[in-house]
Amino acid sequence: MDYDDWALEAGIDATSKAHTTGWESLTEIERIFCVVNDIEREVYNGGFDQFFYNSSGDFSMHAVEYLIKLGAIDTAKIVQKAISFFPNSKPEIDQEKRWEQLRKIEFQAASTWEELDNKFYELEENRHLKMWQIHITSR
């Protein structure tokens, strides 16, 4: 198994654990993997609007912090810009409350989020390799 496959599996496991046993039950490394996997999966599949709309957005308030801890600084800057459209740069944890926020900001955020989607797609920051390295060094 290569590190991309491993990272995807580790992220899915962490996300599943977060949604079944709660965010507090995750180790810091699992939290990083959860957030990075959710960003990767959702942004590549449908952009930042999808990331915030779906349950992946439940943990989005941690995205910048954990991307920085991962060492994915350029990705963190992109995500911070996407989050900046929310009031006080704080997406709601509760999905239905976040949907209400999205309804209020969607028109002003849409074009910028599309630009950020494209920057994200073009960015080569080796997030999966960084996840693998953290995993190996934490053993």
Side-chain angles (χ1 to χ4, degrees):
M1 173 183 301
D2 70 9
Y3 65 81
D4 283 323
D5 292 336
W6 173 87
L8 179 62
E9 190 173 308
I12 289 170
D13 290 347
T15 300
S16 177
K17 182 178 177 183
H19 286 291
T20 56
T21 61
W23 180 254
E24 295 76 24
S25 72
L26 274 65
T27 66
E28 183 173 51
I29 290 172
E30 288 174 321
R31 290 176 183 184
I32 291 169
F33 292 174
C34 173
V35 169
V36 172
N37 180 66
D38 283 354
I39 292 167
E40 293 266 333
R41 187 173 35 85
E42 297 290 5
V43 175
Y44 278 124
N45 190 38
F48 279 103
D49 54 340
Q50 180 172 310
F51 169 64
F52 294 121
Y53 185 84
N54 288 339
S55 62
S56 55
D58 294 355
F59 310 118
S60 60
M61 80 294 281
H62 302 288
V64 173
E65 171 191 359
Y66 287 129
L67 285 163
I68 290 170
K69 286 184 178 186
L70 183 66
I73 305 305
D74 291 334
T75 305
K77 290 176 185 175
I78 291 170
V79 173
Q80 179 60 55
K81 178 99 173 162
I83 288 174
S84 72
F85 284 92
F86 287 89
N88 300 315
S89 296
K90 293 185 180 180
E92 287 284 347
I93 296 170
D94 179 83
Q95 190 175 30
E96 289 186 20
K97 290 179 182 177
R98 198 171 53 256
W99 289 345
E100 188 60 38
Q101 286 179 315
L102 285 167
R103 279 190 280 282
K104 293 177 182 176
I105 66 172
E106 65 186 333
F107 293 112
Q108 77 183 79
S111 64
T112 301
W113 281 353
E114 189 173 326
E115 290 172 21
L116 294 172
D117 293 343
N118 291 326
K119 286 181 181 181
F120 185 90
Y121 305 148
E122 294 168 2
L123 186 61
E124 294 184 27
E125 202 162 35
N126 297 314
R127 291 174 292 267
H128 287 168
L129 176 58
K130 291 175 189 293
M131 288 171 65
W132 173 251
Q133 290 167 335
I134 285 176
H135 169 72
I136 293 300
T137 59
S138 70
R139 293 174 137 191

